Amino acid sequence: NKSSKIYIVGHLGLVGSSLVEKLENLNSLNLYNTQITNSSLNTISELASLKKLYVWKTAITTAQIDKLSQSKTQLEIIAQIN
């Protein structure tokens, strides 16, 4: 079902990142309160179908969000940096 939602809760370590890599049709990803870091965004940036990325309460920096925005111009990033 294309309108189904999948939640990967907790963090995007090796297991979470490998799960996300398998979701080639993923168009929205919410990383609220995960332990994702700047280096994990490399996996996310490879998702061609991703259109929206929600980033709150993470270790991702403003600089990394800016870099991702510039490299994936079709991606809408909704962020609140702590």
Side-chain angles (χ1 to χ4, degrees):
N1 184 341
K2 291 188 178 192
S3 65
S4 296
K5 294 182 181 181
I6 298 171
Y7 295 97
I8 299 174
V9 179
H11 63 86
L12 289 179
L14 292 176
V15 173
S17 291
S18 65
L19 284 173
V20 169
E21 287 174 351
K22 302 292 184 206
L23 301 172
E24 61 192 35
N25 295 321
L26 186 69
N27 61 27
S28 179
L29 180 60
N30 187 337
L31 298 174
Y32 175 82
N33 204 31
T34 63
Q35 295 177 10
I36 190 167
T37 61
N38 290 338
S39 61
S40 298
L41 282 183
N42 293 333
T43 299
I44 293 167
S45 68
E46 298 295 320
L47 298 171
S49 64
L50 191 61
K51 302 296 181 218
K52 281 192 177 183
L53 178 63
Y54 298 88
V55 183
W56 291 289
K57 292 187 176 184
T58 66
I60 297 172
T61 63
T62 302
Q64 188 63 30
I65 289 173
D66 291 343
K67 181 179 174 184
L68 184 59
S69 292
Q70 291 170 6
S71 68
K72 290 192 63 92
T73 57
Q74 81 284 2
L75 179 62
E76 178 184 1
I77 301 174
I78 299 96
Q80 180 179 355
I81 305 300
N82 297 332

